[in-house]
Amino acid sequence: MASDMSYTTEEIAKLLKISKLTVYDLIKKGELPSYRVGKQMRVDAADLEAYKQRAKTAAIAERPAPAGHSFHSAAPAAFNGPRSIVITGHDIGLDILAKHMEKHIPGIRPLRSFVGSMDSLISMYRGESDIVSTHLLDGDTGDYNIPYIRRILVGSSYIVVNLLSRNAGMYVKQGNPFNLEHWSDLSRPGLRFVNREKGSGARVLLDEQLRLHRIKPDQLIGYENEQTNHLGVASKVSSGEADVGIGIEKAAALVGQVDFIPLIQERYDLVILKNEHTHSWLPSLLHITRSEEFKKELLTIPGYDLSLTGEILYET
């Protein structure tokens, strides 16, 4: 087995003949060390082999002794490496949170999973993540996140904590040559649009606004042209490949040659299940989100509103 070889969770599930959910559980317990490359979680071949050897040794130790024989050697101690905590979402505030967790909560190793809001909630429902971030607008109520969380995490016990609020709106070419100011302006013929992927908060925001303003998706040229993050959308507008896209303010500042038209302040929340796996570190997580040290670092990023940061907004 080559020392530089690594496997995806799907490949490990096939090799060990177990479910992908079981693989995630081993990773979260720290029994199978892992790391993330892009959107994929990977495990080095050496770590997989070490896990297999530990499992074989434990199985031999637990095997009953033949009649007339006894084993005096003790079973090996359980593997007690740091427990992986999977945190989903794209915002840089999550990277800051992961850094503070690693610093202040012993025995854990935060892992970042870069997936959209809807997929994040579904991953939590499947048991594949520990802390998910979400910014999903319910157009009928004007509320963020909780209507979706209640529908997806049916029967689960969880807590919803605010991380931050931020402006969302339209990216337009510098100088706003088409004078775009409102959601209804997206109905103008001839505009070239660039979209986010299905399940992302920005995609849900767009689709809800199109529905509320009675604009059909097929009226937008480029509705099917998808990017996987805010920077990708802003870059397409900056390069002139699109006239307008939807995203957050920070990406426009990073890309340059793009103006940002703020249209809504979205609430960016964290969701954590309440169970035996989270009870040991959940109080520490809440303490971090409310700490001045953490908030001070978030405030270095333009466009963040921290007036609700650390507040419990919903709990079951």
Side-chain angles (χ1 to χ4, degrees), residues 1-304:
M1 192 175 290
S3 60
D4 60 349
M5 191 173 180
S6 65
Y7 298 101
T8 65
T9 51
E10 292 85 353
E11 290 169 338
I12 290 174
K14 290 179 181 178
L15 285 168
L16 298 182
K17 295 181 173 57
I18 58 178
S19 71
K20 185 178 172 183
L21 186 59
T22 301
V23 176
Y24 275 109
D25 190 51
L26 292 172
I27 289 172
K28 287 194 286 184
K29 288 177 179 177
E31 296 180 28
L32 201 54
S34 66
Y35 56 94
R36 187 160 294 276
V37 178
K39 289 189 174 183
Q40 286 188 332
M41 193 174 291
R42 302 193 71 88
V43 173
D44 284 339
D47 288 326
L48 176 60
E49 189 63 27
Y51 166 76
K52 289 165 65 176
Q53 290 301 321
R54 288 194 303 272
K56 287 179 182 178
T57 303
I60 292 171
E62 292 172 3
R63 194 176 296 163
H69 294 79
S70 62
F71 293 116
H72 298 289
S73 57
F79 179 70
N80 290 317
R83 183 177 185 273
S84 296
I85 304 295
V86 179
I87 306 172
T88 70
H90 293 276
D91 195 274
I92 192 173
L94 298 168
D95 299 312
I96 296 172
L97 177 65
K99 182 185 71 174
H100 281 260
M101 289 179 66
E102 193 162 27
K103 178 181 178 182
H104 296 293
I105 308 178
I108 69 162
R109 179 176 58 170
L111 296 175
R112 294 281 286 105
S113 175
F114 298 93
V115 296
S117 294
M118 194 73 77
D119 288 341
S120 291
L121 287 173
I122 292 171
S123 75
M124 174 163 277
Y125 179 76
R126 291 174 174 168
E128 298 171 355
S129 54
D130 301 281
I131 302 172
V132 306
S133 63
T134 177
H135 55 110
L136 297 168
L137 173 68
D138 179 64
D140 292 325
T141 63
D143 193 13
Y144 261 92
N145 302 323
I146 292 173
Y148 293 90
I149 297 167
R150 292 177 63 183
R151 287 195 289 267
I152 294 175
L153 299 182
V154 176
S156 298
S157 181
Y158 55 84
I159 187 170
V160 182
V161 182
N162 179 250
L163 181 66
L164 53 92
S165 297
R166 61 189 190 183
N167 287 327
M170 293 189 289
Y171 302 129
V172 298
K173 193 69 176 174
Q174 203 165 45
N176 194 8
F178 294 96
N179 295 314
L180 303 177
E181 296 180 352
H182 306 288
W183 295 109
S184 58
D185 292 336
L186 294 175
S187 64
R188 293 185 190 176
L191 286 176
R192 296 170 302 154
F193 191 76
V194 56
N195 211 346
R196 282 292 304 279
E197 80 281 10
K198 291 179 180 178
S200 67
R203 178 64 168 263
V204 171
L205 172 61
L206 170 71
D207 288 342
E208 284 291 78
Q209 295 298 338
L210 294 181
R211 179 177 66 86
L212 293 172
H213 290 85
R214 301 182 184 275
I215 302 172
K216 295 181 179 179
D218 59 13
Q219 290 179 242
L220 275 65
I221 301 170
Y223 179 83
E224 302 297 334
N225 177 16
E226 298 179 355
Q227 296 291 311
T228 58
N229 54 54
H230 297 292
L231 287 174
V233 174
S235 295
K236 289 293 183 181
V237 175
S238 176
S239 67
E241 297 176 65
D243 300 316
V244 59
I246 304 301
I248 60 171
E249 186 173 5
K250 176 168 58 68
L254 290 172
V255 169
Q257 304 298 310
V258 173
D259 284 349
F260 177 74
I261 312 299
L263 295 175
I264 193 170
Q265 187 177 64
E266 60 180 19
R267 207 180 68 223
Y268 199 89
D269 296 333
L270 304 175
V271 188
I272 308 99
L273 292 181
K274 297 192 298 183
N275 54 39
E276 69 275 13
H277 298 304
T278 64
H279 80 274
S280 61
W281 51 262
L282 180 53
S284 297
L285 172 68
L286 293 175
H287 177 74
I288 288 170
T289 62
R290 296 164 182 169
S291 70
E292 290 304 314
E293 179 188 9
F294 177 64
K295 291 181 181 180
K296 185 177 179 180
E297 194 163 352
L298 284 181
L299 282 172
T300 64
I301 302 169
Y304 283 174

